[in-house]
Amino acid sequence: MQRNKFTTMRSLKVLDRCKGAQVYALHTTGGGGGDVGDKLYHQLQDHLSVNPVRPISMHNYQSSNVPLAYVNETLLPYGLPVSDLLEPQIESCLKFVDFIGTLADLYRRIENCPQFEKTGMYLEQCAIFKGLSDPKLFRRTLRAARQHAVDVHSKVVLAAWLRYERREDELRGTNSMNCCGRNIECPKATLVPGYNPEFIYDPCVCSKNPRGESVDDYSIEDVECSTSDEYRDMSFCIGDNEIRCIRYCIASLSTPFRAMLYGGFRESSKEKINFTQNGISIECMKAAELYSRIRRVDSFDPRIILELLTFSNRFCCDDLKSACDSYLASLVNDVENALLLIEYGLEENAHLLVAACLQVFLRELPNSMHSPNVMKYFCSPEAKERLALVGHASFLLYFFLSQIAMEEDMKANTTVMLLERLADCATESWQKQLAYHQLGVAMYERKEYKDAQSWFEEAYESGHIYSKVGIARTKCKRGHKYSAYKMISSLISEYKPVGWMHQERSLYCDGKEKMSDLEMATELDPTLCFPYKYRAVLLLETNKIGAAISEISKIISFKVSPDCLELRAWISIAMEDYERALRDVRALLTLEPNYMMFHGKMHGDHLVELLRPFVQQWSQADCWMQLYDRWSSVDDLGSLAVVHHMLANDPGKSLLWFRQSLLLLRLNCQKAAMRSLRLARNHSTLDHERLVYEGWILYDTGHGEEALAKAEESISIQRSFEAFFLKAYALADTSLDQESSAYVIQLLLDALRCPSDGLRKGQALNNLGSVYVDCEKLDLAADCYMNALNIKHTRAHQGLARVFHLKNQRKAAYDEMTKLIEKARSNASAYEKRSEYSDRDMAKSDLAMATQLDPLRTYPYRYRAAVLMDDHIENEAIAELTRALAFKPDLQLLHLRAAFHDSMGDYASTVRDCEAALCLEPNHADTLELYNKVRELVKEQ
């Protein structure tokens, strides 16, 4: 297999694409402010070399005359957390006892289903992927569902959903009906029925005709004059007015007209037909007569077209109705128009018109979710029935709406009503499981435990095993704790235990049994937050505060979440470590700006203000130096807190919002990162800078080509570090050949010639070194890494170690990684990488440490499994991979386990693992090769 020349560079998406914050300008050629940047750079270098920045104990800044009791009352007005009040959230997504088997089964069904049914299958895959931590899987599957959509309704909903995933509603100056330039999301393309998956990523009509000019305009007057009165052989009379018509043209409008004018009715022999009592206006009849000859409505007044729509329904004029429906749909471009026209569409059964109105409502989400005038068309049973009559009530529609409603407010009446409509539309087993379970979760959050239990039971009876957690929880809330305990115990006995089962049972027992269940939950699934939180609070209650901090820090080190940061801040306040408390609260607010602390009783911003008097006050210049120090020590949370502090002083600084987004990406907090990136774009006052931010938004949501175009447009306005960096990064992720490598190198060199800060320069140098290594230019790579280290880009130790290793200097490579371990606060990856330069025993030790620090890293499991296979301990090798797959369904883990099963002759397990892997990545070449080989063997047998 050909090695991916950009693997290392792409592996830096969380490493060296997720960048830094501006500390100073480094090489300021070709831009303004260079002298100031150089002076600041040298001042900082001199200062840091003599006085390295180090955190200062906040106890020194606490006023000595402030009584501790007053401090505790101010900072902990709601006391300390209590272990008995803690409980994990019931997850609202689909969860499975055998997730790998579920993935394999889904892949088989997708591959074997008819083309026209693939959208429904991909929608099921979306529901399954919604529960995974990687949003890219969900978005990719959503695009696949849109690609295979056949009907207008599905196209409208899926295109709006794709747009929502980018949250373009938060971008200033954008219109909900703006087109991305591709058929996949084009609001015009969605209104065209038909199956055309091969054209889905092609440029749409908007990009070919951006101003929307008609290419075949015509004049009604010309057409009217072109038909002589001598051909008009009949008239419709409305009052005293007479509309002359051509009989066969009117007859061609519909079967009823044909019967009237050529059948056995009296009108067939009349030259004049009285239409006065039919409720048709003169203008409408004239328009109908003209349409009968020209077959177009696009030059009529919209009011007349609405009347024609009614006319067409009354007289069954299908072609006329279709033309009116289509043209009226093209007029819908904002919520005001949509609200005005949707009633006509619903009354006249105009499928396209209602679709166009729905499209506007959906593309305005989540804002339209808060409009009663909009939501009245979705929420009630009657509203759903009205939509169904025009073909626009579907599980897909209510799946989309209910997911947004739950994100906005799980307890709201709107959320419950949308989930009820979702349940009404559910027909397949997985749809019922999802709808009923989510209704149970919503009712549980509203403390309506009886109704919640009823919905959870419905979900369980539909086949959703995880809903037993909801049943048990509601039973406990209603006073039946032992019954809940027995229910979860039977679940553990009946199925292969997974982490959430033991976590749930721990709620219904005490003492050693409770702690045993929590330990087992962590062993089976170390990503579950609740066991760490409970153990930390229990240690706090026994006055073991340091141990409590250590316990909650274990999970924060590899999985950052607001609730865990809140708990650590809470404990830090109790131990009077106000600096650490403030750091965690600031980091927390970066993830969720409106987070409410202390069981929802105090806004996080208010706690920041309460803590500030007890810590050292920093100027903006101090913040830059603190950020430099934290970045150099690979302290991502600390860096995030400093950036939050800086943004509090200067909230309009787009550069800071951008840096914040990059740090959040490093911490795998993509949703928060995208929000920060949108704010960077909104606060930018420079066109070339705004284009770069838009490019990163596109890149991070799977639109690489569009991101490249944004970078090129930015460069055409002004050459900048960020534009060149974006272009190099996006290009490296899509190209593999030697010529492209040279181009990427040139782009990074161009970036380094532009003004930027030292942290960004360090990342560019690190990436440049990586490309040089892949091109086997090791000396040039070493120079890049050394230059990066000279400006304290600590991660460059890893690249330099790689160069030493390729030069067969294994000891030097090992020493470089040791330096990184010593300097970096987050060093799980450094232990993992150092293992490559060690002997087997030392490698095992390093990888054990890597797993302990971050159990989500998959390489250690794969290495240990490979060693076991080499030693012919096959079952233990399989078990090592299975242990990781229980909480992290990973492509590489699945492929390796499939290969192990293949070597052992277990072809059924090989096929299952290959299918599960292909469900995650359908185009993975190695897995496809293995899958096809084993299927052929099975056929032969």
Side-chain angles (χ1 to χ4, degrees):
M1 180 183 67
Q2 181 181 1
R3 190 169 68 91
N4 187 338
K5 297 179 63 179
F6 290 88
T7 296
T8 304
M9 190 167 181
R10 285 208 297 275
S11 72
L12 301 175
K13 286 179 186 175
V14 181
L15 205 66
D16 267 14
R17 177 236 152 150
C18 310
K19 342 309 194 230
Q22 183 160 356
V23 182
Y24 47 80
L26 185 58
H27 300 300
T28 52
T29 59
D35 293 339
V36 176
D38 285 334
K39 289 177 182 177
L40 179 57
Y41 166 64
H42 292 302
Q43 289 170 3
L44 279 174
Q45 288 287 67
D46 292 342
H47 177 86
L48 290 168
S49 62
V50 180
N51 303 301
V53 181
R54 290 289 179 268
I56 303 174
S57 172
M58 291 302 103
H59 299 294
N60 298 335
Y61 293 89
Q62 181 178 333
S63 177
S64 58
N65 59 358
V66 179
L68 185 59
Y70 174 78
V71 173
N72 288 337
E73 183 179 346
T74 302
L75 300 180
L76 296 172
Y78 306 104
L80 293 170
V82 179
S83 59
D84 290 342
L85 298 180
L86 295 175
E87 68 173 47
Q89 276 193 327
I90 302 174
E91 295 188 44
S92 60
C93 56
L94 292 175
K95 288 182 73 72
F96 304 91
V97 175
D98 178 14
F99 188 63
I100 303 304
T102 300
L103 291 178
D105 173 68
L106 181 60
Y107 177 78
R108 283 194 302 274
R109 289 188 287 123
I110 290 174
E111 288 298 298
N112 295 325
C113 79
Q115 290 293 316
F116 290 173
E117 297 177 13
K118 282 193 180 291
T119 288
M121 296 302 306
Y122 283 122
L123 185 62
E124 181 179 354
Q125 192 176 37
C126 282
I128 292 172
F129 284 168
K130 193 71 174 173
L132 299 181
S133 59
D134 185 358
K136 292 179 182 177
L137 290 172
F138 175 81
R139 285 198 295 266
R140 188 197 70 209
T141 306
L142 200 61
R143 285 195 295 272
R146 168 63 186 91
Q147 180 178 4
H148 291 276
V150 179
D151 59 279
V152 166
H153 174 77
S154 297
K155 292 180 179 182
V156 163
V157 178
L158 290 165
W161 202 337
L162 284 167
R163 182 181 186 277
Y164 174 79
E165 285 297 307
R166 290 199 305 278
R167 292 306 301 266
E168 289 198 5
D169 59 286
E170 294 182 2
L171 297 180
R172 292 176 187 166
T174 60
N175 184 288
S176 64
M177 300 302 288
N178 283 355
C179 179
C180 69
R182 304 280 179 179
N183 285 323
I184 189 167
E185 288 183 45
C186 174
K188 293 181 180 178
T190 58
L191 297 178
V192 179
Y195 183 68
N196 50 359
E198 64 274 15
F199 301 120
I200 199 70
Y201 294 107
D202 288 355
C204 62
V205 293
C206 300
S207 60
K208 299 172 185 174
N209 187 20
R211 296 182 182 178
E213 300 98 335
S214 175
V215 295
D216 55 349
D217 288 340
Y218 66 98
S219 167
I220 281 189
E221 290 77 10
D222 293 340
V223 175
E224 287 182 325
C225 294
S226 68
T227 303
S228 173
D229 280 346
E230 66 183 84
Y231 295 107
R232 294 184 167 125
D233 53 354
M234 63 161 293
S235 303
F236 285 101
C237 299
I238 300 175
D240 296 331
N241 295 278
E242 185 175 322
I243 298 96
R244 296 292 293 168
C245 305
I246 301 174
R247 183 179 293 268
Y248 76 82
C249 289
I250 296 296
S252 68
L253 289 177
S254 70
T255 301
F257 270 124
R258 187 178 303 110
M260 176 196 296
L261 299 176
Y262 288 106
F265 295 94
R266 289 180 300 173
E267 289 82 358
S268 63
S269 59
K270 288 185 175 182
E271 183 179 344
K272 294 184 180 181
I273 300 173
N274 191 338
F275 256 36
T276 303
Q277 303 302 319
N278 284 331
I280 299 169
S281 71
I282 299 165
E283 293 85 355
C284 177
M285 198 64 225
K286 287 182 177 178
E289 187 279 327
L290 183 57
Y291 173 81
S292 73
R293 290 184 284 117
I294 66 173
R295 300 287 165 164
R296 300 182 65 153
V297 299
D298 46 337
S299 289
F300 297 150
D301 186 273
R303 180 183 60 83
I304 298 299
I305 299 177
L306 285 170
E307 196 171 349
L308 277 175
L309 184 62
T310 303
F311 176 93
S312 67
N313 271 329
R314 181 176 299 179
F315 294 101
C316 304
C317 305
D318 293 339
D319 290 345
L320 175 58
K321 178 178 179 178
S322 178
C324 294
D325 191 11
S326 179
Y327 185 72
L328 288 170
S330 71
L331 300 179
V332 183
N333 54 17
D334 58 33
V335 172
E336 185 179 357
N337 283 346
L339 287 171
L340 179 66
L341 291 171
I342 191 170
E343 279 296 337
Y344 288 100
L346 291 168
E347 288 296 324
E348 301 298 339
N349 194 24
H351 180 77
L352 277 182
L353 177 55
V354 174
C357 296
L358 288 182
Q359 178 162 249
V360 170
F361 297 155
L362 297 178
R363 290 172 78 95
E364 286 284 346
L365 288 167
N367 297 328
S368 55
M369 185 72 68
H370 305 291
S371 168
N373 290 332
V374 171
M375 296 315 294
K376 71 179 182 181
Y377 291 106
F378 299 105
C379 290
S380 67
E382 296 75 20
K384 179 229 158 195
E385 288 304 316
R386 292 187 75 194
L387 289 174
L389 289 174
V390 289
H392 286 294
S394 67
F395 184 87
L396 168 61
L397 172 66
Y398 284 103
F399 186 18
F400 179 30
L401 289 170
S402 61
Q403 298 314 295
I404 297 174
M406 288 191 294
E407 289 177 14
E408 294 288 299
D409 184 358
M410 179 68 82
K411 302 176 185 178
N413 290 335
T414 297
T415 303
V416 173
M417 287 189 287
L418 289 172
L419 285 170
E420 287 173 343
R421 303 293 78 75
L422 181 71
D424 292 340
C425 293
T427 55
E428 299 181 34
S429 175
W430 74 267
Q431 295 175 347
K432 293 177 182 179
Q433 292 175 32
L434 180 67
Y436 299 157
H437 180 75
Q438 291 185 337
L439 269 166
V441 173
M443 292 301 182
Y444 184 84
E445 291 294 318
R446 289 159 63 101
K447 302 188 188 312
E448 299 176 20
Y449 298 125
K450 184 176 180 181
D451 287 342
Q453 182 175 333
S454 176
W455 285 116
F456 283 132
E457 287 170 347
E458 290 274 4
Y460 177 71
E461 289 171 8
S462 298
H464 193 228
I465 305 302
Y466 177 71
S467 291
K468 263 206 170 181
V469 166
I471 301 171
R473 199 79 65 89
T474 51
K475 279 180 176 287
C476 184
K477 293 292 184 183
R478 300 175 69 194
H480 305 290
K481 185 175 180 179
Y482 183 61
S483 176
Y485 174 83
K486 289 197 299 182
M487 179 176 290
I488 301 301
S489 293
S490 68
L491 202 62
I492 293 172
S493 301
E494 187 175 352
Y495 298 96
K496 182 179 179 180
V498 288
W500 56 261
M501 294 180 185
H502 286 278
Q503 172 180 271
E504 189 63 26
R505 191 171 68 174
S506 73
L507 302 178
Y508 315 123
C509 53
D510 302 297
K512 291 182 178 179
E513 187 178 2
K514 186 184 194 77
M515 298 310 295
S516 175
D517 266 334
L518 289 172
E519 289 297 333
M520 181 58 70
T522 299
E523 181 179 336
L524 294 173
D525 185 353
T527 67
L528 295 172
C529 295
F530 174 73
Y532 299 93
K533 292 170 65 177
Y534 184 88
R535 289 188 292 261
V537 173
L538 199 64
L539 288 165
L540 177 65
E541 289 172 343
T542 56
N543 209 32
K544 298 175 181 176
I545 300 179
I549 289 284
S550 297
E551 180 63 29
I552 196 62
S553 295
K554 289 177 183 176
I555 189 165
I556 291 175
S557 67
F558 66 90
K559 183 181 178 181
V560 179
S561 62
D563 55 330
C564 290
L565 286 171
E566 177 196 15
L567 180 57
R568 190 166 72 176
W570 206 338
I571 298 172
S572 296
I573 293 172
M575 67 185 299
E576 301 175 49
D577 188 347
Y578 304 125
E579 179 186 346
R580 177 156 53 184
L582 183 57
R583 178 198 65 191
D584 284 344
V585 176
R586 287 192 183 280
L588 181 161
L589 290 171
T590 303
L591 300 176
E592 287 193 25
N594 297 315
Y595 193 85
M596 300 295 291
M597 308 283 293
F598 308 137
H599 303 301
K601 296 176 181 176
M602 180 189 291
H603 197 287
D605 283 332
H606 183 54
L607 183 57
V608 168
E609 293 306 311
L610 293 177
L611 284 167
R612 285 184 65 195
F614 300 96
V615 301
Q616 180 186 16
Q617 302 303 303
W618 292 336
S619 67
Q620 202 76 340
D622 294 330
C623 287
W624 287 119
M625 297 203 316
Q626 290 288 337
L627 181 60
Y628 188 93
D629 187 66
R630 281 158 174 72
W631 187 271
S632 298
S633 61
V634 197
D635 178 7
D636 297 326
L637 277 175
S639 300
L640 204 58
V642 174
V643 173
H644 183 272
H645 186 174
M646 298 168 81
L647 280 168
N649 298 333
D650 191 1
K653 192 79 169 177
S654 62
L655 181 69
L656 292 175
W657 288 112
F658 182 49
R659 296 304 194 266
Q660 186 182 78
S661 75
L662 305 172
L663 284 164
L664 287 164
L665 279 177
R666 191 197 294 271
L667 291 165
N668 203 28
C669 302
Q670 187 163 15
K671 183 178 179 180
M674 294 301 292
R675 182 180 62 243
S676 297
L677 195 50
R678 290 190 292 270
L679 286 167
R681 184 265 184 197
N682 287 345
H683 286 292
S684 177
T685 58
L686 301 172
D687 288 343
H688 74 275
E689 189 179 81
R690 186 162 51 247
L691 286 165
V692 169
Y693 301 151
E694 290 173 358
W696 280 120
I697 291 172
L698 288 165
Y699 179 84
D700 286 330
T701 51
H703 299 273
E705 290 184 17
E706 290 83 352
L708 272 172
K710 290 285 184 181
E712 288 166 355
E713 186 179 354
S714 177
I715 292 169
S716 70
I717 298 173
Q718 180 171 324
R719 295 167 64 87
S720 69
F721 175 92
E722 295 299 346
F724 281 118
F725 191 95
L726 168 60
K727 186 175 180 180
Y729 198 87
L731 186 64
D733 200 29
T734 56
S735 304
L736 303 175
D737 56 84
Q738 193 69 28
E739 183 179 348
S740 295
S741 300
Y743 189 35
V744 169
I745 289 171
Q746 185 57 52
L747 289 170
L748 289 171
L749 290 172
D750 288 338
L752 288 164
R753 294 187 188 102
C754 296
S756 186
D757 59 76
L759 302 181
R760 297 295 281 140
K761 295 281 187 178
Q763 289 152 356
L765 286 166
N766 204 42
N767 282 8
L768 181 57
S770 175
V771 183
Y772 276 139
V773 168
D774 290 331
C775 295
E776 299 181 359
K777 299 178 180 180
L778 300 184
D779 291 337
L780 289 172
D783 290 342
C784 288
Y785 292 130
M786 290 302 299
N787 287 333
L789 289 170
N790 288 338
I791 53 176
K792 295 188 179 296
H793 188 76
T794 307
R795 287 179 172 83
H797 282 297
Q798 182 170 323
L800 193 56
R802 185 182 174 205
V803 171
F804 285 138
H805 178 63
L806 291 172
K807 289 185 173 183
N808 295 318
Q809 300 175 19
R810 193 182 180 101
K811 177 65 168 58
Y814 181 90
D815 291 342
E816 282 300 318
M817 294 312 300
T818 302
K819 292 175 185 177
L820 181 56
I821 289 170
E822 292 169 350
K823 293 179 181 179
R825 180 165 294 190
S826 302
N827 52 19
S829 64
Y831 277 107
E832 178 184 299
K833 200 67 182 174
R834 190 174 70 173
S835 70
E836 297 181 22
Y837 314 129
S838 314
D839 58 37
R840 178 180 282 201
D841 290 339
M842 293 179 69
K844 285 183 178 179
S845 175
D846 277 346
L847 291 174
M849 180 60 72
T851 298
Q852 180 182 331
L853 294 172
D854 184 356
L856 290 173
R857 304 190 72 85
T858 62
Y859 174 75
Y861 301 99
R862 288 186 282 127
Y863 177 89
R864 288 189 289 263
V867 169
L868 289 166
M869 282 298 286
D870 285 345
D871 293 340
H872 304 289
I873 312 175
E874 290 91 350
N875 290 334
E876 289 189 24
I878 295 289
E880 179 68 20
L881 296 175
T882 302
R883 182 163 68 96
L885 284 167
F887 58 87
K888 186 176 175 63
D890 175 78
L891 173 66
Q892 297 294 339
L893 290 172
L894 283 166
H895 175 73
L896 185 59
R897 193 172 73 170
F900 286 176
H901 283 307
D902 176 43
S903 69
M904 297 164 66
D906 186 352
Y907 298 137
S909 297
T910 303
V911 168
R912 178 203 60 203
D913 283 351
C914 283
E915 289 171 339
L918 292 170
C919 189
L920 296 174
E921 177 47 73
N923 299 316
H924 190 246
D926 290 346
T927 303
L928 280 169
E929 182 182 348
L930 177 60
Y931 183 53
N932 293 329
K933 184 197 82 171
V934 173
R935 289 178 71 191
E936 287 299 319
L937 286 174
V938 172
K939 286 180 183 178
E940 291 173 4
Q941 292 178 357

